[in-house]
Amino acid sequence: MAEIIVVTSGKGGVGKTTSSAAIGTGLALRGFKTVLVDFDVGLRNLDLIMGCERRVVFDLVNVINEEATLNQALIRDKRTEGLYILPASQTRDKDALTQDGVERVLNELSEMFDYIVCDSPAGIERGAHMALYFADTAIVVTNPEVSSVRDSDRILGVLQSKSRKAEQGEQVREHLLLTRYNPARVQAGEMLSVDDVRDILAIPLLGVIPESDAVLKASNQGQPVILDDQSDAGQAYQDAIARFLGEEREHRFLEVQRKGLFSRVFGRKG
Amino acid sequence: MGILSYFRAKKQTSASVAKERLQVLVAYERSQRNQPDYLPQMQQEILAVIARYVDVSVDDVQINLDEDCSILELNVTLPEQKH
Ligand SMILES: Nc1ncnc2c1ncn2[C@@H]1O[C@H](COP(=O)(O)OP(=O)(O)OP(=O)(O)O)[C@@H](O)[C@H]1O
Ligand SMILES: [Mg+2]
């Protein structure tokens, strides 16, 4: 039985797909058989971030409609052992995702994998609802910015009332992943701090991913940023995976990085 | 706590303004979340009945349900009496 993780946010463009790719890859690197499922029907991007866009033949909707088998649609990641991608369709409308269909596909994946990571579309409409409905665990991706925090709180409300777990009287495990964090702007009082966002959302903090040039570079190359272990964002995602798996890791990259001799001598130890 | 921090505390940063606004908004939205689906319709109908007898606007009528939906609170600000 796989654990179903939804990467969700409400607000668009906060880093769900970037984070899904990093988390899926991170779990596979730790030896777990993992599948990344793109629920963003009509606007698929996960294949691009994972660098497998030219290998897409069938997609999630094909499998739901029984036009292809799972094995035909699953793309094996060439870099990371044990990692697969199930792409979303590019053309179809969101109504193609029926609850029964999604459940059937997730049940089948559940027999094959340890983790199913669902990349949710933005919004709180049908597509986002389908992505989170069957989740055991939610990773709520939030930017330190008012509209993102508000939308995260709304998506938490949906998780607490309209998920399968909620309907069964149980709880979806919730994690906060704060992304695009800019310590310099936080220090200047221009950006909500990690503690501000924690105070408001009041859910456990999985990680803080700094605003980083490495993310754009990684997406240009079609390579999840977690594989760039020289980068701050890559290391921050690695820490988040470690915490997800129950290890203790101090939060890094919360302070403005000191440049010069001092930081060079002591490096970037955690 | 030096004199510097005293001055700094006086001038609110935009991040602290953001936090305050969010705290108010999120608390309000959470309280709305647990409301039964019939509440908006009921509020409207109660308002319509009151408006038939007194000259009130939407803002003058406040209808709240408490957390476990056991007490309905109705607050009507009546217009000033004309003599
Ligand atoms: N830590 C980061 N540092 C810098 N840029 C980032 C970071 N995280 C994400 N981005 C950039 O933000 C943009 C949106 O990211 P992404 O596509 O992952 O968001 P999304 O939440 O999946 O968006 P959508 O809601 O459209 O699906 C991308 O251009 C990405 O490169
Ligand atoms: Mg996305």
Side-chain angles (χ1 to χ4, degrees), chain A residues 16-18 40 43 45 119-121:
Chain A
K16 291 180 293 298
T17 302
T18 304
D40 206 344
L43 282 173
N45 276 323
D119 180 19
S120 173

Side-chain angles (χ1 to χ4, degrees), chain A residues 96-126:
Chain A
L97 293 183
T98 60
Q99 184 161 314
D100 289 348
V102 171
E103 181 169 23
R104 202 159 30 75
V105 174
L106 291 178
N107 281 343
E108 207 177 322
L109 288 172
S110 192
E111 312 259 298
M112 310 159 62
F113 291 96
D114 299 315
Y115 287 104
I116 303 174
V117 179
C118 305
D119 180 19
S120 173
I124 50 172
E125 313 285 297
R126 184 179 184 79

Side-chain angles (χ1 to χ4, degrees), chain A residues 146 149-150 153 157 189-192 196 199-200, chain B residues 13-15 18-19 22-23 25-26 29-30 33:
Chain A
V146 282
V149 175
R150 180 218 208 153
D153 194 66
E190 299 168 358
M191 185 180 261
L192 290 166
D196 292 339
D199 282 352
I200 291 162
Chain B
T13 63
S14 68
K19 184 180 184 184
L22 269 170
Q23 278 171 324
L25 179 65
V26 162
E29 288 184 342
R30 282 180 191 161
R33 217 179 268 165

Side-chain angles (χ1 to χ4, degrees), chain A residues 8-9 54 159 257:
Chain A
T8 185
S9 69
R54 299 192 45 188
L159 284 161
Q257 295 287 307

